[in-house]
Amino acid sequence: MKQNLTFKIGLIVATTLICLYGMIGLPKSKDELIANWNNNIKLGLDLKGGSQLVVQVQVQDAFRAEADQVIERLREEFRKGSLSYGDITRNEPTTLEDADKIEILVKGVDANKLADARTIITERFANWNLSSTGSGDLRLTLKPTEALTLRKDTVERSISTIEKRINGLGLAEATVQQRGRSDAEAELLIQLPGVDDPARIKQILGTAALLEWYAVKDGPFQSREAALQQMNGVLPVNSKLLESRSRGANDPGSWYLVDRVPVVTGRDLRDSRPSQDPQTGRWETSFVLSQDGARRFERYTEQNIGKQAAIVLDNKIQSAPTIESKISDTGRITGAGSQQDASDLALVLKSGSLPASIQYLEERSVGPSLGADSIRQGLVSGLVGLIAVVLVMLVYYKKAGVNATVALILNAVLLVGCLAYFGAVLTLPGIAGIVLLIGMAVDSNVLIFERIREELQAGKAPSAAVSAGFGKALLTIIDTHVATVVSCAFLFIFGTTQVKGFAVTLVIGLIANVFTSVFVSKVIFDWELGGKRVEQLSI
């Protein structure tokens, strides 16, 4: 019995020390203790201060891009099937509401080949509904289920890409989530604790960062008009004109004729990072291609030595170097103004391109002083509640109230320690959850103590009454806690960021409460009663 009790006490002490280490580490001074606490306990926007952005994903961009890809595939399929046609175009939805009304029009299909065209579209483009608009003209409209899937996928990919870019800046407490439950809104709420000036964040988020490498067919030309004039106003098949990035008044930029399909794109990137040119010392962004992209790039450069290639970022040519030798899996983008510019470009390249552009709807800043007031008021309310509960427990349950107080303090240590280890963000609703847990923790002790009193009144000895009281109260405590955890699960699934913080804090506290009120409290009673003949229990 004594050995078993020693093991239990050791487990409690070890658990407490582990949680304390998670909160403050092993500080050697007061300043280090405070620094460790600030690093380990992450505060949300409402406590730390910072910025909040509301953006709207322009999903119509994704619908237009999807239609453009289908048009390219249609042209390729018609070419393979030797089907003649006049033109393939699409409409131009400009608003979120009109996004899923995207249409592709195939005009002037040969009447003798109309059935073949229908067969190709039906078999190869099953996501689109097909209808006729006239003699030789066909219309493709995206199926409603596919439109809904594309809309959701665009929003989800935007959230994922924005999270990667923000987290890449070291803003671990930042959150990105869809605001509201309507997919038609496509609004995202971005919270940036500790960021007073979100200008740099907005610049990074607003950059599409679509990297492409094209084969150059001709150029440079002084203007688009000059390029078209030299080609008699008609671009060669499978080619397009792209403008180079302006480098000042002395170099306003030029135009190049490039292949329509890029050799490699940003999707083939494996890594990107800032670097310095060893000769000039200028900052640039180097990148590494994936295995598949490297094979294609190596084959292309080997076959085009001596020719130009265009490095394109967001439809702007960054540079058009001459291929001097075979290149396998590495490249670089020059022209960065500073180390931060090179780092930001590497970050957005690594996180991937946004599937659609974003529009800023709202920007709001929260000062740190307001967060400090919230923390101070939350701590005051918590301390007042704690002191009141402790006094009531000591007066009503006598020495057993000390037992409840120890369990209550340990419950708080376990809760904050778990929050530190999990990297959870503490918000103002989270503090409210901690205050609520004070009452719930004491409620469990009250339930146990009243059970023990009933057993004592039934004539049982103190040790037997303690064992019976804990045994009979255990199922009730677990039942009530499980019901609350289920409620918290729904809050976490459907709630906003603040509500999720409340739910997480409450669940961790409930689990810690079961440990302290049932296990720790029982150990304290066993330690008090162990090896002694106690006639009366102070409860």
Side-chain angles (χ1 to χ4, degrees):
M1 178 67 181
K2 185 175 181 181
Q3 185 177 4
N4 188 32
L5 184 61
T6 302
F7 171 77
K8 291 180 179 179
I9 294 175
L11 178 62
I12 294 171
V13 172
T15 303
T16 305
L17 291 177
I18 290 173
C19 290
L20 288 173
Y21 178 79
M23 290 188 289
I24 59 175
L26 296 175
K28 298 179 181 179
S29 63
K30 180 180 178 182
D31 293 339
E32 188 175 348
L33 185 148
I34 296 174
N36 290 345
W37 172 270
N38 292 332
N39 290 331
N40 296 331
I41 307 300
K42 297 178 174 60
L43 302 180
L45 179 67
D46 51 359
L47 298 179
K48 190 176 183 179
S51 299
Q52 175 176 293
L53 302 173
V54 177
V55 302
Q56 189 178 61
V57 181
Q58 303 300 294
V59 294
Q60 63 268 27
D61 294 347
F63 279 82
R64 290 197 295 262
E66 178 71 16
D68 289 338
Q69 292 181 6
V70 171
I71 289 174
E72 292 298 322
R73 290 173 55 200
L74 273 172
R75 288 172 175 162
E76 182 66 20
E77 293 294 337
F78 283 2
R79 185 187 64 79
K80 292 179 181 178
S82 300
L83 299 178
S84 60
Y85 60 92
D87 194 12
I88 304 178
T89 60
R90 62 164 173 83
N91 62 343
E92 191 76 17
T94 57
T95 64
L96 290 174
E97 293 75 15
D98 297 335
D100 52 2
K101 297 177 182 177
I102 189 78
E103 293 181 352
I104 297 176
L105 299 177
V106 184
K107 301 177 181 179
V109 179
D110 186 355
N112 298 325
K113 296 285 188 176
L114 194 59
D116 294 337
R118 286 178 170 275
T119 301
I120 290 175
I121 294 173
T122 304
E123 293 180 354
R124 310 287 174 84
F125 303 92
N127 296 340
W128 295 75
N129 291 321
L130 176 63
S131 60
S132 298
T133 59
S135 179
D137 294 344
L138 301 173
R139 176 190 287 119
L140 283 76
T141 56
L142 195 59
K143 292 182 177 179
T145 54
E146 297 299 329
L148 180 61
T149 300
L150 179 59
R151 185 184 291 271
K152 288 184 176 180
D153 181 65
T154 302
V155 174
E156 290 173 358
R157 286 172 55 200
S158 298
I159 292 175
S160 177
T161 302
I162 291 174
E163 283 179 339
K164 289 179 182 178
R165 295 186 182 183
I166 291 176
N167 292 336
L169 294 171
L171 302 176
E173 301 92 345
T175 60
V176 183
Q177 67 172 13
Q178 190 172 356
R179 190 169 79 162
R181 288 289 143 196
S182 174
D183 293 321
E185 294 296 333
E187 292 183 3
L188 305 181
L189 176 65
I190 305 173
Q191 294 186 324
L192 308 166
V195 178
D196 296 327
D197 182 11
R200 183 187 173 203
I201 306 295
K202 291 173 65 176
Q203 180 182 359
I204 291 174
L205 296 184
T207 303
L210 179 59
L211 176 67
E212 298 168 310
W213 193 300
Y214 287 92
V216 174
K217 290 187 172 183
D218 201 356
F221 303 100
Q222 291 184 350
S223 64
R224 179 182 179 86
E225 291 72 19
L228 290 173
Q229 183 178 0
Q230 183 166 331
M231 289 173 277
N232 299 321
V234 180
L235 293 178
V237 179
N238 294 325
S239 64
K240 62 181 180 179
L241 286 170
L242 288 179
E243 185 181 10
S244 66
R245 181 171 62 91
S246 174
R247 290 175 171 80
N250 297 328
D251 184 9
S254 52
W255 291 78
Y256 289 84
L257 182 70
V258 301
D259 280 344
R260 178 170 290 277
V261 180
V263 180
V264 292
T265 69
R267 299 180 182 87
D268 299 307
L269 281 181
R270 189 175 66 194
D271 190 20
S272 60
R273 62 187 60 192
S275 60
Q276 272 186 299
D277 188 316
Q279 297 179 349
T280 64
R282 294 180 178 177
W283 283 98
E284 57 193 22
T285 303
S286 59
F287 59 87
V288 181
L289 296 172
S290 63
Q291 188 174 5
D292 179 64
R295 282 197 298 267
R296 285 185 278 117
F297 194 53
E298 183 176 12
R299 185 166 57 249
Y300 160 73
T301 53
E302 185 178 18
Q303 296 173 355
N304 292 274
I305 294 176
K307 298 180 180 179
Q308 280 185 298
I311 302 175
V312 180
L313 184 65
D314 295 341
N315 289 320
K316 285 283 187 178
I317 296 178
Q318 301 296 303
S319 61
T322 300
I323 302 173
E324 298 178 351
S325 61
K326 181 175 67 176
I327 306 173
S328 59
D329 62 346
T330 59
R332 57 180 182 168
I333 303 173
T334 60
S338 64
Q339 180 181 1
Q340 180 172 306
D341 291 341
S343 300
D344 289 348
L345 178 57
L347 171 63
V348 294
L349 288 175
K350 197 183 317 185
S351 62
S353 59
L354 287 167
S357 61
I358 57 176
Q359 178 182 350
Y360 293 94
L361 302 180
E362 180 184 325
E363 177 182 333
R364 187 173 64 182
S365 296
V366 178
S369 59
L370 181 60
D373 290 339
S374 300
I375 296 174
R376 182 171 58 254
Q377 293 174 1
L379 291 177
V380 169
S381 61
L383 287 174
V384 170
L386 178 62
I387 293 172
V389 168
V390 169
L391 288 177
V392 170
M393 294 297 289
L394 291 175
V395 171
Y396 191 72
Y397 289 108
K398 303 173 185 178
K399 289 184 179 180
V402 177
N403 186 328
T405 302
V406 172
L408 190 61
I409 295 173
L410 185 57
N411 190 8
V413 173
L414 295 179
L415 170 61
V416 179
C418 289
L419 289 175
Y421 276 114
F422 294 155
V425 179
L426 184 62
T427 61
L428 189 58
I431 293 181
I434 294 175
V435 176
L436 175 61
L437 280 168
I438 294 175
M440 298 188 68
V442 172
D443 181 66
S444 299
N445 287 114
V446 169
L447 183 61
I448 294 171
F449 292 170
E450 289 300 322
R451 282 287 189 179
I452 294 175
R453 278 184 170 182
E454 291 176 2
E455 299 299 326
L456 290 173
Q457 291 172 1
K460 289 187 178 181
S463 58
V466 168
S467 298
F470 274 94
K472 292 180 178 180
L474 177 60
L475 290 179
T476 304
I477 292 173
I478 292 177
D479 181 56
T480 56
H481 281 57
V482 168
T484 309
V485 168
V486 171
S487 301
C488 290
F490 284 100
L491 290 177
F492 187 83
I493 293 172
F494 299 107
T496 61
T497 303
Q498 290 80 5
V499 175
K500 287 182 178 180
F502 174 81
V504 169
T505 304
L506 198 55
V507 168
I508 296 175
L510 289 170
I511 296 173
N513 185 41
V514 173
F515 176 76
T516 55
S517 62
V518 176
F519 184 79
V520 176
S521 185
K522 179 69 164 53
V523 170
I524 295 175
F525 273 115
D526 290 343
W527 177 75
E528 182 182 355
L529 299 174
K532 301 177 184 178
R533 184 176 180 83
V534 179
E535 298 293 338
Q536 187 176 1
L537 191 64
S538 178
I539 189 170

